[in-house]
Amino acid sequence: MDTVPENPQYAETRKRRARDRTASLNAAPHVGASHLRDSAHRHHSPMASIKTDDLETEPAQIVSPVPRRHLLTSESLHWLRLSELADDDGLARGVSPASAASSSASAFPSSSASKRLSFSALLEHERVARGIHTSASLQRDPLDDRIDQGAVRRWVRWMHKHNLKAWVVPSAIAASIWVKWCIGLGGYSGHATPPMFGDYEAQRHWMELTIHLPIQQWYTYDLRYWGLDYPPLTAYVSWICGRVGSWIDPSWFALETSRGIETPGNKLFMRATVLVLDALVFVPALYAFTRTWLSTRSSRTQHAALVTLLFHPALLLIDFGHFQYNSVMLGLTLLAIDAFAVGLDLVGAVFFVLSLGFKQMALYYAPVVGAYLLGKCIYLGPKNGTRLFIRLAFVTVLSFIVLFAPFLPPFAPISALGVSISRIFPFARGLFEDKVANFWCFTNVTVLKWKRVFNGKEALLIRASAALTALGFLPAVAGLLWGSCKTRLRSPSPSAKEQIDAPATPMTHLNSSTTPTPTLPLLPYALLTTSMSFFLFSFQVHEKTILLPLLPLALLLSGATPGEEVFAWGALGNVVGVFSMWPLLKKDGLGVQYLAMLLLWCRLIGYNPFAMRLRSFVGLLSTAVHISMGLLHLLELVIVPPTRYPDLFPVLNVLVSTPVFGLVWLWSIKRGIEVSWAMGGLTGSRADAKDKGKEKEQGGEWEKEKANGLSTVDPVPSLSRPGVRNDAGTRAKSLGFASGQDVSGGRGYRDPRRRALERLSMRAGGGEEGG
């Protein structure tokens, strides 16, 4: 067949471009055609089939490697031909929890349609050939096998590589719904145990009384049979569910005659209400969390975090097995935290009031939420801070008034409000009821019989409990307030105001009340500290309230990877949290669900409870605790407790679980201090140490830096700029930043850009002083 002759002008242009590409490749010997050929032949890669002429005329396209901005170590410097950095400098470059995993080299494309050659794959092959540690080895302890990244991360990686990224979230939510429904096929609280039954009957009974009685009688009707003792929002939700159920079958919620009903249709409806409310409140809150708090992380990390939280075993076993609606309360709190992360403080305040209005247990978070909002008012300064404080106070009071409106005049006498509050806070029940893994029950077994010694002096125990609880969460509250004081924005001097063009700079944005404070990374740790303090020391604690400390602990865990300190403590605390509820779950007949969910979740996150960890304190603790848990379960299978000690195994459960919770509480305080120190929130700034008369001089320095291109609208602003703290650029919304990677050194993240600006600022200051 005759071919059409090629245009000489086009042919000459094509040859010239080919020569230019060949010359540019030969100029870089490590990434040129000959190097690619040699590497491909040495490792029998598909590159071996490419002819030399083809490379010279039509070189293969090179896919740029995955950004390795956090992986600047000796391995990557091998390709940069630079001297090796010191270990301290390398660690100071802020390794994020997912850096090593997200920056692992990609393999050759599996699709036959894709003909691109992966530079990262060739880089890994050459490292192996030269005997150099690959990026995968960064995940490995020198004496351990490669750390398992977990089934979740492997599945998310597979979905992303096969162009199924958009299906990760729907698939994860659908799978979690299926698992939740399967858990609900088992027993529940009070199943076939008349006359009082259990929590299932309590929730159903509240639906019954709310749809048949006037609002003023909700908190006074037949208190001996599951009287309503939750805040009004729970009653309103029960009213809605009761109305919908009555339309389906009125016999399910007939007044008094429906007590103890356990028909299949009623069970199906009750289980469906938990599932629907969870999908409407908690699941969106989790998704919003991954999109806000993990916004600086990769989409893979966000998806892995979402799956980790969706399958959290403790919440699934209690809500969908034991039967409660804790996910609504936790979801509303999480929505409030998400709102704080994006600067919507008024919206967050409303969500938190709704959480308090659904379950009074949300008070475990109240000191920290209040301290964070008050700290932001301090951070914004007198003018903007006072304005925000007034708005927050107005919105909070108005939200409470709307919630309790049916119990206030003119709708009801003021006594109705007092009755409802007395039901919500039942101090008359005593210090504790069941065997709970907290300070009071633990010391009651090992040290002192509190009820016997303080018989008739319950008021003294209440005061002691309140004092210990306040001391327990004081470090978290003080850290937030002190950090806000030290990072408070200062108003620029009049001369600096004239030099600063507000619309063109981020000054107005930083002074806006919609900007999160630099202390935001402290919030998850503070929530953990405060809620764990309430669980350990407060009055009248139930086993299920461990869910409140486990929520922030799980949030921190979701942004970490195996091998990190945060991951180790998070996994241990959550596993022991589920274990502490074993006596309750066993009573409900949820033994299979308990074991299945623990093993499934550990497999998903890459945590092996059977592994021996002997090279760190948390590793030794995990090994000892897991062995104790296994032995206790085996003993419970083969030994019948003596008649004299019917609660032998629940007491042993308390003795194993309480020390772990206490250590998690202490660790959260330690981590809060470390994160505060890492972000500079507690160290002050040089501007505070200088006299205010130097503000004009600082403004001039900022203008010089701006002229040199150092001060830009960047996540790390210039440190010398008046009116902006030196930590105003903290990446507050990233849990990866807050969790940190440096486990052994004890140092937090230090952005290299921040260090460079600090050095320049110090040099400028020293030069001026010397001149």
Side-chain angles (χ1 to χ4, degrees), residues 442-462:
F442 182 84
T443 54
N444 187 76
V445 174
T446 58
V447 179
L448 182 67
K449 299 295 182 182
W450 297 102
K451 292 182 180 180
R452 183 185 306 169
V453 174
F454 290 89
N455 186 21
K457 303 177 182 178
E458 285 77 11
L460 183 60
L461 277 180
I462 293 176

Side-chain angles (χ1 to χ4, degrees), residues 92-432:
R93 291 184 178 269
V95 184
S96 66
S99 299
S102 63
S103 59
S104 59
S106 59
F108 291 110
S110 58
S111 174
S112 59
S114 176
K115 300 301 181 183
R116 294 186 177 183
L117 187 62
S118 172
F119 177 79
S120 300
L122 293 177
L123 181 146
E124 294 295 332
H125 284 310
E126 171 151 5
R127 286 175 176 173
V128 173
R130 291 175 178 241
I132 301 175
H133 294 293
T134 63
S135 61
S137 65
L138 296 179
Q139 309 287 334
R140 182 183 303 174
D141 189 277
L143 301 178
D144 278 343
D145 295 329
R146 182 173 180 176
I147 296 177
D148 183 12
Q149 293 297 310
V152 167
R153 293 184 180 273
R154 292 196 298 271
W155 175 73
V156 170
R157 189 182 303 117
W158 184 90
M159 294 286 285
H160 281 236
K161 286 185 176 180
H162 290 78
N163 298 323
L164 298 173
K165 178 180 179 180
W167 289 93
V168 172
V169 174
S171 301
I173 294 176
S176 67
I177 291 175
W178 179 74
V179 171
K180 293 169 184 176
W181 192 258
C182 290
I183 294 175
L185 297 177
Y188 51 84
S189 175
H191 174 61
T193 55
M196 292 296 294
F197 299 93
D199 285 350
Y200 174 92
E201 172 61 16
Q203 301 288 342
R204 190 213 60 80
H205 178 63
W206 295 345
M207 298 178 190
E208 167 194 338
L209 64 89
T210 52
I211 64 175
H212 288 287
L213 300 175
I215 294 179
Q216 291 75 17
Q217 298 183 25
W218 285 359
Y219 287 96
T220 59
Y221 179 77
D222 196 4
L223 300 181
R224 293 176 298 178
Y225 186 83
W226 295 117
L228 182 62
D229 56 2
Y230 279 1
L233 186 56
T234 292
Y236 304 149
V237 172
S238 299
W239 180 83
I240 295 174
C241 294
R243 285 295 182 187
V244 175
S246 296
W247 294 340
I248 300 174
D249 190 343
S251 64
W252 294 345
F253 304 105
L255 187 62
E256 294 190 355
T257 60
S258 61
R259 292 186 179 183
I261 186 173
E262 292 181 319
T263 61
N266 183 256
K267 293 178 185 178
L268 179 64
F269 174 78
M270 294 293 290
R271 293 292 194 187
T273 59
V274 182
L275 198 64
V276 170
L277 290 173
D278 175 83
L280 290 177
V281 180
F282 190 65
V283 173
L286 292 180
Y287 181 76
F289 166 80
T290 60
R291 300 293 295 175
T292 55
W293 285 83
L294 302 177
S295 60
T296 62
R297 310 291 294 279
S298 66
S299 58
R300 289 185 182 181
T301 301
Q302 294 178 15
H303 289 162
L306 178 63
V307 179
T308 300
L309 297 171
L310 282 174
F311 288 89
H312 189 249
L315 182 61
L316 267 61
L317 289 170
I318 292 299
D319 275 19
F320 299 94
H322 176 81
F323 197 91
Q324 279 199 348
Y325 297 93
N326 294 292
S327 60
V328 178
M329 179 261 296
L330 296 176
L332 292 171
T333 299
L334 189 53
L335 286 173
I337 298 172
D338 297 338
F340 296 153
V342 295
L344 301 177
D345 300 309
L346 300 180
V347 177
V350 173
F351 276 125
F352 188 68
V353 170
L354 292 177
S355 180
L356 289 169
F358 191 83
K359 277 196 175 184
Q360 61 269 34
M361 287 192 303
L363 283 170
Y364 285 21
Y365 300 135
V368 165
V369 173
Y372 172 78
L373 294 176
L374 180 59
K376 184 166 185 177
C377 296
I378 297 173
Y379 166 76
L380 292 176
K383 182 179 179 181
N384 294 328
T386 303
R387 183 185 298 114
L388 178 61
F389 181 82
I390 295 173
R391 292 176 179 176
L392 286 171
F394 176 77
V395 168
T396 302
V397 173
L398 181 62
S399 300
F400 275 114
I401 291 176
V402 171
L403 273 178
F404 285 89
F407 304 94
L408 295 173
F411 304 103
I414 195 65
S415 59
L417 179 63
V419 171
S420 62
I421 293 177
S422 64
R423 290 291 302 164
I424 294 171
F425 300 102
F427 289 107
R429 292 185 179 180
L431 188 62
F432 61 88

Side-chain angles (χ1 to χ4, degrees), residues 2-81:
D2 295 336
T3 59
V4 179
E6 185 178 9
N7 189 319
Q9 182 179 0
Y10 291 160
E12 182 63 25
T13 302
R14 183 179 59 81
K15 292 179 181 179
R16 185 174 63 256
R17 290 178 177 175
R19 287 195 301 270
D20 293 342
R21 285 195 296 267
T22 304
S24 63
L25 287 174
N26 291 333
H30 291 286
V31 294
S34 60
H35 184 72
L36 294 177
R37 261 198 323 273
D38 296 341
S39 178
H41 281 293
R42 183 165 57 249
H43 299 290
H44 308 286
S45 67
M47 188 63 191
S49 62
I50 301 178
K51 296 181 180 180
T52 305
D53 296 337
D54 296 335
L55 283 173
E56 292 177 354
T57 58
E58 198 68 27
Q61 291 178 312
I62 300 178
V63 179
S64 63
V66 178
R68 314 175 76 83
R69 56 186 179 275
H70 299 308
L71 200 58
L72 197 55
T73 58
S74 59
E75 285 79 2
S76 57
L77 293 176
H78 165 70
W79 286 90
L80 298 176
R81 292 295 184 186

